[in-house]
């Protein structure tokens, strides 16, 4: 399959460790943010979202933190597993738009057993 | 499988030929989006449909590109007179109406122009 992670920054972690993936978004008018996971040859898969009126949201093994002051978003994955290996993208939606998403550059997560 | 479906998954075409891709969104999703993704990059927005109306087009969508959603269900993306720079993954996504709902992506169509 295609290498989605080509030329992307890579975060390497050991299985069982916690992972933190960071993203700087571009538009202070963005009001909704999503993290997607993309495996080679596949489309982006929704992980977790957060609205701009929140600063933290938790899912199953994942937590998203939003810092609007510095326009920063992070994804925390607890007890990282080999199946978490993929490219992770943050995406933002600008308020008043048609829900189109603006994607960041992506980070490749490599989980080593 | 009730997810977003795209066809074909892969397409190889000679430069100058026309190609057409199809997207079947999740049923009852009235919002449909096309994105393009090149290697090592995040998806880039191309166009948006709400039901059958095409409400927004990116400047990336040159005159050679046309998208339709004639009955507000499936959508097609056509590229005329393909160029090597058109080689990319073309992704379709859909979402229900309402405020700030997540978009669900299909597996994409990988286009290679030779």
């Amino acid at each position: 399959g295609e290498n989605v992670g080509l030329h992307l920054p890579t975060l390497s972690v050991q299985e069982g460790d916690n992972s933190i993936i960071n993203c700087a978004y571009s538009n202070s008018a963005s009001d909704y943010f999503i993290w997607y996971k993309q495996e080679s040859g596949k489309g982006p898969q929704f992980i977790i979202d957060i609205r701009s009126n929140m600063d933290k949201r938790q899912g199953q093994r994942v937590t998203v933190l939003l810092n609007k002051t510095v326009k920063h978003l992070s994804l925390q994955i607890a007890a990282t597993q080999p199946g978490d290996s993929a490219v992770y993208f943050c995406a933002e939606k600008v308020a008043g738009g048609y829900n189109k998403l603006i994607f960041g550059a992506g980070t490749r997560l490599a989980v080593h057993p | 499988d009730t997810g977003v479906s795209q066809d074909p998954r892969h397409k190889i075409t000679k430069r100058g030929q026309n190609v057409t891709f199809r997207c079947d969104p999740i049923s009852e999703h009235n919002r449909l989006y096309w994105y393009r993704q090149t290697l090592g990059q995040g998806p880039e927005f191309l166009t948006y449909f709400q039901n059958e109306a095409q409400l927004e087009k990116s400047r990336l969508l040159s005159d050679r590109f046309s998208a339709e959603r004639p009955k507000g269900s499936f959508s097609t993306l056509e590229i005329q007179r393909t160029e090597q720079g058109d080689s990319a993954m073309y992704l379709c996504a859909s979402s229900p109406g309402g405020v700030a709902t997540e978009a669900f992506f299909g597996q994409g169509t990988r286009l290679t122009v030779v």
Side-chain angles (χ1 to χ4, degrees), chain A residues 2-3 7 9 21 24 26 36 45-46 54 61 63-64 66 71 74-76 79 86-88 90 100 102 104 106:
Chain A
E2 66 186 81
N3 185 349
H7 303 311
I21 301 173
S26 59
Y36 283 95
Q45 177 187 356
F46 172 86
M54 304 170 67
R61 281 202 308 119
T63 301
V64 55
L66 175 62
K71 293 191 289 185
S74 69
L75 177 69
Q76 301 177 0
V87 176
Y88 289 80
C90 67
K100 75 178 182 187
I102 302 169

Side-chain angles (χ1 to χ4, degrees), chain B residues 30-102:
Chain B
N30 62 6
R31 296 179 177 180
L32 187 147
Y33 309 81
W34 285 98
Y35 288 81
R36 181 172 70 187
Q37 185 177 28
T38 52
L39 285 176
Q41 303 294 319
E44 296 174 294
F45 170 80
L46 291 179
T47 191
Y48 161 71
F49 288 86
Q50 183 161 315
N51 299 311
E52 67 276 7
Q54 187 175 20
L55 297 183
E56 188 172 358
K57 293 195 293 185
S58 163
R59 280 174 287 183
L60 293 175
L61 215 65
S62 76
D63 291 345
R64 297 184 296 105
F65 287 70
S66 63
E68 295 182 342
R69 195 183 182 195
K71 298 181 180 179
S73 56
F74 73 92
S75 176
T76 57
L77 178 67
E78 180 184 16
I79 308 174
Q80 296 182 327
R81 304 181 303 281
T82 52
E83 302 173 355
Q84 286 189 323
D86 297 332
S87 296
M89 173 77 86
Y90 289 85
L91 292 161
C92 178
S94 71
S95 69
V99 178
T101 54
E102 68 267 28

Side-chain angles (χ1 to χ4, degrees), chain A:
Chain A
E2 66 186 81
N3 185 349
V4 174
L6 188 66
H7 303 311
L8 292 173
T10 298
L11 173 65
S12 293
V13 300
Q14 292 296 124
E15 181 179 359
D17 286 352
N18 296 334
S19 303
I20 300 176
I21 301 173
N22 296 302
C23 174
Y25 64 92
S26 59
N27 198 320
S28 56
S30 293
D31 62 357
Y32 179 63
F33 306 88
I34 306 179
W35 279 100
Y36 283 95
K37 171 186 179 183
Q38 189 173 28
E39 297 171 286
S40 287
K42 296 184 178 181
Q45 177 187 356
F46 172 86
I47 301 174
I48 191 168
D49 59 359
I50 188 168
R51 299 175 191 265
S52 59
N53 61 354
M54 304 170 67
D55 53 21
K56 179 179 180 179
R57 189 160 189 231
Q58 289 184 295
Q60 186 178 9
R61 281 202 308 119
V62 295
T63 301
V64 55
L65 299 177
L66 175 62
N67 184 331
K68 294 182 290 294
T69 302
V70 295
K71 293 191 289 185
H72 183 268
L73 200 64
S74 69
L75 177 69
Q76 301 177 0
I77 304 173
T80 314
Q81 302 167 1
D84 295 326
S85 294
V87 176
Y88 289 80
F89 292 99
C90 67
E92 61 184 298
K93 180 191 83 67
V94 178
Y98 287 117
N99 281 11
K100 75 178 182 187
L101 298 172
I102 302 169
F103 282 79
T107 298
R108 179 173 176 267
L109 176 65
V111 182
H112 303 285

